[in-house]
Amino acid sequence: MAAASHLLSYQLCPSYNYRKPIISDKKILPLSFCRYGSPCFDPKAPSRKNPYPKIMTVSGKRQLEVVYDPEERINRLANEVDKNTGLSRLTLFSPCKINVFLRITSKREDGFHDLASLFHVISLGDTIKFSLSPNKTQDRLSTNVPGVPLDDRNLIIKALNLYRKKTGSDNYFWIHLDKKVPTGAGLGGGSSNAATALWAANQFSGCFATEKELQEWSCEIGSDIPFFFSHGAAYCTGRGEVVQDIRPPIPLDTPMVLIKPQQACPTAEVYKHLVLNQTSIVDPKTLLEKISQNGISQDACINDLEPPAFKVLPPLKKLKQRVLAAGRGQYDAVFMSGSGSTIVGIGSPDPPQFIYDDDDYKDVFISEARFLTRGEKQWYTEPNSSFSEIEDPSSTTETPSSI
């Protein structure tokens, strides 16, 4: 059942349509669209609290109205948990990343490839709400977008299962994922979600594990996840799981624009088209040193996965070429992030005008972003927001439930 107040009405006669607004006390209760994707009544409408059944007469017909508010029920259950724990609910920002450069250096015996890349967290991200569940058997995940798996195929659930396996914790959660990072974008949105879930689970357990342990464990479920336990900028090698924290080599206020077409680039398919002897021969450490000393430049933002990605998705090559041509010096560099399909323009938050004018790009995802880091023993926060919310039993502030 969706996480919203639903007004269920049962008439004592047929022909009731539950999708129509219900007449109550001679007022039309406004039907709106919830952020979680389900129709619901306007949260500002009256009679949301203390649901109860009542009999009323509409146009001479008797009608039994049953008001059921699952959100209130979940909050009530969470409050029961509050009595026995110091931390019951936590809201965290889950930022994505870009690869400023990405070199593929060799193929491994295990079938994976060795890479060397400058990863950097950016300000685009999801928001994840965690609530301790009285249920000690399974987690419960909801999201605001269709198509996202809600079972153990999701990296959030995998991360929580991993944490319980490593620590013996018996905490289970209600989780709501407010997703803004597109999937199949080369931005590591799912990996960030997993890292955020591990961080959250550790907070609920009183920081039982160290950040280093969380980072080491996380590589068991994804190569990009360990990076998010850096402070935001890292030189990554191996499959991506060998993370060397570095000082941010690029000013954090450097603007950028992200442009992603609807089509995704399946990572496995991109690697199938990779030809190692056709990749760059530039030493990745030389690229890192160049960016650290001179800043972003087009020749330093090499991505060895661009040629195979352009074979998998030919329109992506055209998009990059058009952004480069239309930028006319607007961008310091234009490149693809990860295995695609996001094209990044560094130096300006604005896309070129053709993105708005050309019908071929009417459905692209566009977002501006900045580079982002985190402090010691703190998780990432969205700029100009207070996304890291912790509630304790003494708090009197009402928090909207997410399940």
Side-chain angles (χ1 to χ4, degrees):
M1 182 174 292
S5 300
H6 285 259
L7 194 60
L8 306 180
S9 180
Y10 299 88
Q11 292 187 359
L12 303 182
C13 60
S15 79
Y16 172 66
N17 183 347
Y18 76 95
R19 293 187 182 275
K20 294 179 180 178
I22 298 174
I23 300 175
S24 176
D25 298 330
K26 299 181 180 180
K27 294 181 179 179
I28 298 293
L29 298 185
L31 190 64
S32 63
F33 196 79
C34 285
R35 59 184 296 200
Y36 309 118
S38 300
C40 66
F41 289 95
D42 189 331
K44 296 181 181 179
S47 303
R48 289 188 72 244
K49 296 182 179 180
N50 302 321
Y52 58 91
K54 58 184 177 181
I55 302 290
M56 60 185 174
T57 301
V58 181
S59 302
K61 298 176 182 178
R62 289 169 60 79
Q63 175 174 291
L64 173 64
E65 182 184 55
V66 181
V67 181
Y68 176 62
D69 190 343
E71 178 179 326
E72 181 168 329
R73 176 176 177 272
I74 289 170
N75 275 331
R76 186 169 63 250
L77 290 172
N79 287 336
E80 292 177 8
V81 175
D82 286 352
K83 298 175 183 177
N84 302 311
T85 182
L87 176 63
S88 64
R89 290 171 243 186
L90 180 62
T91 299
L92 293 173
F93 182 56
S94 178
C96 62
K97 59 79 181 173
I98 62 169
N99 301 84
V100 181
F101 66 79
L102 175 57
R103 286 287 338 280
I104 306 298
T105 55
S106 63
K107 187 168 184 178
R108 302 153 54 107
E109 293 183 359
D110 59 9
F112 290 96
H113 288 78
D114 280 317
L115 59 82
S117 178
L118 171 56
F119 282 59
H120 210 305
V121 170
I122 60 174
S123 58
L124 172 66
D126 304 327
T127 303
I128 312 180
K129 295 184 178 183
F130 300 87
S131 297
L132 267 181
S133 171
N135 184 333
K136 295 296 184 180
T137 59
Q138 66 178 5
D139 300 300
R140 182 172 159 190
L141 175 64
S142 66
T143 185
N144 63 320
V145 296
V148 175
L150 303 179
D151 53 18
D152 57 11
R153 292 173 296 166
N154 192 294
L155 281 171
I156 292 175
I157 303 299
K158 286 187 178 189
L160 296 175
N161 287 336
L162 176 67
Y163 187 83
R164 285 186 287 264
K165 173 185 172 183
K166 294 292 187 181
T167 65
S169 169
D170 63 352
N171 287 336
Y172 286 82
F173 301 91
W174 291 313
I175 314 107
H176 182 75
L177 170 63
D178 186 1
K179 194 132 194 74
K180 296 179 182 176
V181 179
T183 57
L187 298 174
S191 296
S192 173
N193 291 168
T196 305
L198 282 172
W199 175 273
N202 201 42
Q203 298 302 303
F204 282 96
S205 296
C207 297
F208 178 85
T210 65
E211 285 188 37
K212 188 66 176 176
E213 287 174 322
L214 295 177
Q215 186 178 56
E216 290 174 351
W217 298 343
S218 68
C219 67
E220 295 183 20
I221 56 175
S223 300
D224 287 351
I225 303 172
F227 158 69
F228 288 95
F229 290 101
S230 72
H231 289 148
Y235 179 66
C236 299
T237 53
R239 290 183 291 114
E241 85 284 6
V242 181
V243 180
Q244 179 185 343
D245 230 325
I246 63 173
R247 293 175 61 89
I250 310 161
L252 297 182
D253 60 354
T254 301
M256 73 185 78
V257 63
L258 311 176
I259 307 171
K260 181 200 173 295
Q262 278 195 322
Q263 303 94 325
C265 277
T267 300
E269 194 67 22
V270 171
Y271 273 100
K272 281 182 184 178
H273 287 79
L274 176 68
V275 181
L276 274 174
N277 61 11
Q278 295 179 6
T279 59
S280 171
I281 60 173
V282 179
D283 185 339
K285 289 189 176 180
T286 299
L287 294 175
L288 179 62
E289 183 179 355
K290 185 172 185 177
I291 291 172
S292 299
Q293 293 180 352
N294 305 319
I296 292 283
S297 62
Q298 188 64 45
D299 61 344
C301 295
I302 295 171
N303 186 341
D304 285 337
L305 293 182
E306 281 189 6
F310 293 162
K311 290 179 182 177
V312 173
L313 194 62
L316 193 59
K317 180 177 182 179
K318 179 181 177 182
L319 174 60
K320 179 188 174 182
Q321 291 173 337
R322 290 195 66 178
V323 173
L324 273 168
R328 298 175 184 173
Q330 179 179 357
Y331 307 109
D332 299 319
V334 176
F335 54 89
M336 186 185 79
S337 179
S339 58
S341 58
T342 300
I343 298 298
V344 183
I346 301 286
S348 172
D350 302 315
Q353 187 61 38
F354 77 84
I355 293 292
Y356 299 111
D357 296 339
D358 195 324
D359 286 344
D360 289 342
Y361 300 104
K362 62 182 179 181
D363 295 322
V364 300
F365 171 88
I366 305 171
S367 177
E368 64 178 69
R370 296 288 192 278
F371 291 105
L372 190 66
T373 58
R374 69 182 178 99
E376 191 74 31
K377 296 183 179 180
Q378 297 177 348
W379 198 242
Y380 302 96
T381 57
E382 187 174 36
N384 303 319
S385 298
S386 55
F387 270 100
S388 185
E389 285 178 18
I390 298 178
E391 288 197 10
D392 59 47
S394 62
S395 173
T396 57
T397 303
E398 183 179 351
T399 298
S401 179
S402 57
I403 307 300

